[in-house]
Amino acid sequence: MDLLRHLRHFVVVAHELHFGRAAELLGMAQPPLSQSIQRLERELTVELFDRSRRQVALTTGGELLLGEAEELLAGEGRLRNLMGQVRVGALGVLRAGVPPETPAVTLRALLDALTDRAPGLDVELHELTSGEQVRMLTERSLDVGLVHHPVATEGLRFGAPVDVPLGVLLPRTSPLARGREVGLAALAGLDLVAAPRATAPGWHDHLLAVCGRHGYRPARVRPARNPEFLFGLVLAGGAVAVEPATVARREPRIAWRPIVDTPLAKRTSAAWPDRSAHPAAPMFGQLAAEVLAGVEPALAGTPSTLAERPWPVLFDTTG
C-alpha cells in the first residue's frame, strides 16, 4: 500500500469536505478517490469521514489523523528536498585535492565560488601533488582534484582545461635577464630546477621533451618541492626554472622572462572518477576552470607583458 499517496488524498478531502471538489483539485475522478479513502480506512481500521449526513464531516479519528498526516507529508517534502540537494552535490562532504603551489588568491576565489553555488556543501581541501591526487582518485579516497596534464591514467573524467603560460626564472643579475624574452636553447649548460617527477610524472616528462626539442637539455634536473628551495637553487647560480610568472612574484631577486615562441604552458584541470562520481565533482570542475581562467591570467605577468603579448593556447599535447 502506498500510504503517503492515500494520506495526500485524505488531507485534500479533509480540507474540502467534498469528494467532488477534492477529486478536481487532485486531478482524478471521484470514484478512484473514494476507493483510496476506503482503502486507507481499512488499513487503519477506523472510519475517517462521517458519511451519514448530506455534508461530509471528519470523525474523531479523522480529526486526529489530519494533523499527523500533514506533519508526515511535510516531513516527506523536506526529506525529498534534502536528498535532492545531496543528489546534485549541494550538500554533504566533498574531498578535493589542490596542488601545493596553488596561490592563496586562487584558493580563496574557488572556495568563495563553491560557497555561493552550494552553501550547504562541506569542502574538505587537501594539499596534494598531481601524482598523489591521481592515485587517491583511483583508490576513491578523493572525490575530485586539480591536476597538471598530461595524465595517462584511465578511469578519470576531466573538466575544462586552463593553460597558464610559462617563462624562465632567472636571477635578476643574470645576463639572460637583460632581454625581454629568452630562448630555451640559450639555457644550454644550465641546470633545470623542477618539481620531483613523482609529483606529476606526465608533466615532468613533457617539460623535458619540449625543452629538448627546442635545444635545451639540462646538465642536471634538480628537484625542488617548495618555492623557497627553488629560489635558493636559482639564486645560487647555474640553474633556472620554468614556471608561471606568479611564482616569480614571491621573490624580488628573481626575474621572469617569456620564452621565445611560447612553446610551454602548464595545463590544469579538475579530475574525478568517471564512474560513481561525487555529484558535486562536475560543479567543482566548472568553477575551478572559471576561477583559474579569471585569476591566473590576471597574475601571470606584468601589465606591459600582458598588454603587448596576448597568450595563445600553448600546451603541446604531442609531447
Side-chain angles (χ1 to χ4, degrees), residues 226-314:
N226 63 75
E228 294 303 319
F229 189 63
L230 181 148
F231 295 149
L233 293 178
V234 171
L235 290 171
V240 296
V242 178
E243 297 287 344
T246 50
V247 177
R249 285 175 173 261
R250 307 182 191 183
E251 173 51 67
R253 294 171 294 174
I254 292 287
W256 183 88
R257 294 293 179 267
I259 301 172
V260 175
D261 297 329
T262 58
L264 279 168
K266 182 166 283 188
R267 172 168 289 180
T268 305
S269 79
W272 60 90
D274 62 358
R275 293 185 180 181
S276 303
H278 191 291
M283 176 186 66
F284 180 95
Q286 176 192 348
L287 294 178
E290 293 173 0
V291 167
L292 289 174
V295 174
E296 294 287 356
L299 299 176
T302 63
S304 61
T305 299
L306 292 174
E308 296 170 8
R309 193 185 187 99
W311 296 103
V313 174
L314 308 173

Side-chain angles (χ1 to χ4, degrees), residues 13-92:
V13 176
H15 283 293
E16 295 298 319
L17 294 178
H18 192 285
F19 278 83
R21 288 196 300 269
E24 185 177 347
L25 289 173
L26 290 166
M28 60 189 300
Q30 183 173 334
L33 176 59
S34 298
Q35 294 169 9
S36 175
I37 299 300
Q38 291 169 4
R39 185 170 181 183
L40 179 62
E41 290 176 321
R42 289 196 301 269
E43 181 70 23
L44 300 178
T45 63
V46 66
E47 287 190 358
L48 301 173
F49 294 98
D50 182 357
R51 303 172 178 83
S52 62
R53 306 172 187 177
R54 294 183 61 182
Q55 184 176 358
V56 177
L58 283 169
T59 64
T60 300
E63 291 176 349
L64 292 174
L65 177 62
L66 180 58
E68 296 293 332
E70 289 178 327
E71 185 175 340
L72 182 60
L73 292 171
E76 181 211 16
R78 290 191 297 270
L79 179 63
R80 290 184 180 277
N81 178 64
L82 182 66
M83 292 301 100
Q85 292 184 66
V86 171
R87 185 171 58 253
V88 300
L91 287 177

Side-chain angles (χ1 to χ4, degrees), residues 76-130:
E76 181 211 16
R78 290 191 297 270
L79 179 63
R80 290 184 180 277
N81 178 64
L82 182 66
M83 292 301 100
Q85 292 184 66
V86 171
R87 185 171 58 253
V88 300
L91 287 177
V93 178
L94 178 70
R95 301 167 299 176
V98 294
E101 70 275 12
T102 305
V105 65
T106 303
L107 285 178
R108 176 63 184 273
L110 178 56
L111 289 173
D112 286 348
L114 287 165
T115 299
D116 290 342
R117 183 72 62 86
L121 183 66
D122 182 8
V123 182
E124 188 179 280
L125 278 183
H126 300 269
E127 185 183 42
L128 300 165
T129 67
S130 291

